[in-house]
Amino acid sequence: MARTASYDRDAALDAAMTLFWVKGYQATSLKDLEDALKMRPGSIYAAFQSKEALFRATLERYSHRIADELGQLVASAPSPLAALQAHLERLAELDPCDRPSTACMLVKSLLEIPQETELRAVVLEHLARVEDQLATVFQRARDRGELPPDADPSRLAQRIQTYIFGLKIQAQRRTDPVQMQLLCADLAEEIGRLGTGWSTRQATGDTLPRIGS
């Protein structure tokens, strides 16, 4: 009969994710993990095999949360573009006081981990998955007629991913929440204009300009 784990895996992963998010992979020691997870070294290795395997599990957890958050927005918003606008506007609510960091854990990890390593490739894979999800939202917008037929979902996804990462860094250094709200609103409005501009051109018969290509 299999032995039941004597720890809460979800709680342990959340604690490890917070620690890695704040300190980074390289700077996090086994002692740090012992204190954060309230587990002995042997128990940590029995549960997660290695520090790297634990780190990978926290990256997976983090990227799943990003995907779930965007997925819920898309499901509840009146349109794909409206969901992306709402996603950008929500970033105005980021507060460095109520989370480990407003900066993206994936980006922080990418900047820290050396080139040409397997772990860096794992981080890049997670970032690519986020971008693919954004591209899928833009694809839906194009299929619904919100964007012109020749719009490039992948290129638009790269653009909005850059906005998101930049806004999270701005949230880390902001001193005026009103300015943060205005910045998020400006970028959200830009995404909205992609659809508005196409609708106007459809109405007037002018469909030559290309968006996102």
Side-chain angles (χ1 to χ4, degrees):
M1 182 175 180
R3 188 175 135 190
T4 303
S6 60
Y7 70 101
D8 184 330
R9 185 176 179 84
D10 287 336
L13 284 173
D14 280 340
M17 183 176 72
T18 295
L19 184 60
F20 285 130
W21 195 349
V22 173
K23 295 195 68 172
Y25 175 70
Q26 304 283 7
T28 296
S29 67
L30 179 58
K31 183 64 169 65
D32 293 329
L33 289 169
E34 288 178 51
D35 293 342
L37 277 61
K38 297 179 174 55
M39 296 170 66
R40 294 181 180 277
S43 298
I44 293 175
Y45 284 113
F48 301 104
Q49 286 74 57
S50 67
K51 174 185 169 183
E52 181 176 321
L54 175 56
F55 181 60
R56 289 185 183 215
T58 63
L59 291 176
E60 185 76 23
R61 192 172 187 81
Y62 180 84
S63 63
H64 272 306
R65 287 186 178 179
I66 292 176
D68 289 345
E69 188 177 302
L70 181 56
Q72 290 171 15
L73 266 179
V74 172
S76 61
S79 75
L81 287 188
L84 293 174
Q85 287 181 281
H87 189 52
L88 289 172
E89 289 167 349
R90 279 189 178 185
L91 295 180
E93 302 170 5
L94 288 176
D95 189 338
C97 296
D98 65 4
R99 65 194 62 230
S101 169
T102 62
C104 176
M105 181 184 177
L106 296 175
V107 174
K108 289 184 72 175
S109 299
L110 184 67
L111 295 174
E112 175 201 6
I113 296 170
Q115 297 271 5
E116 308 302 328
T117 61
E118 188 175 339
L119 195 52
R120 184 181 177 87
V122 170
V123 177
L124 287 170
E125 182 180 346
H126 283 298
L127 286 168
R129 280 161 54 179
V130 174
E131 188 175 304
D132 287 345
Q133 185 182 18
L134 292 169
T136 298
V137 179
F138 278 115
Q139 178 71 53
R140 289 179 184 173
R142 191 176 69 179
D143 292 345
R144 286 167 52 104
E146 289 187 78
L147 295 173
D150 58 359
D152 185 341
S154 295
R155 187 167 176 180
L156 288 168
Q158 291 173 16
R159 183 195 299 184
I160 195 171
Q161 191 173 47
T162 301
Y163 289 171
I164 291 168
F165 293 155
L167 286 170
K168 288 185 175 182
I169 291 172
Q170 286 293 336
Q172 189 77 11
R173 61 181 288 271
R174 74 177 189 187
T175 56
D176 185 348
V178 174
Q179 290 300 315
M180 185 69 185
Q181 291 168 3
L182 291 173
L183 178 57
C184 290
D186 286 346
L187 295 179
E189 183 182 355
E190 181 179 328
I191 295 300
R193 282 199 300 268
L194 296 175
T196 302
W198 169 238
S199 297
T200 301
R201 286 193 296 277
Q202 280 184 307
T204 60
D206 178 13
T207 59
L208 291 178
R210 296 169 64 88
I211 297 178
S213 58

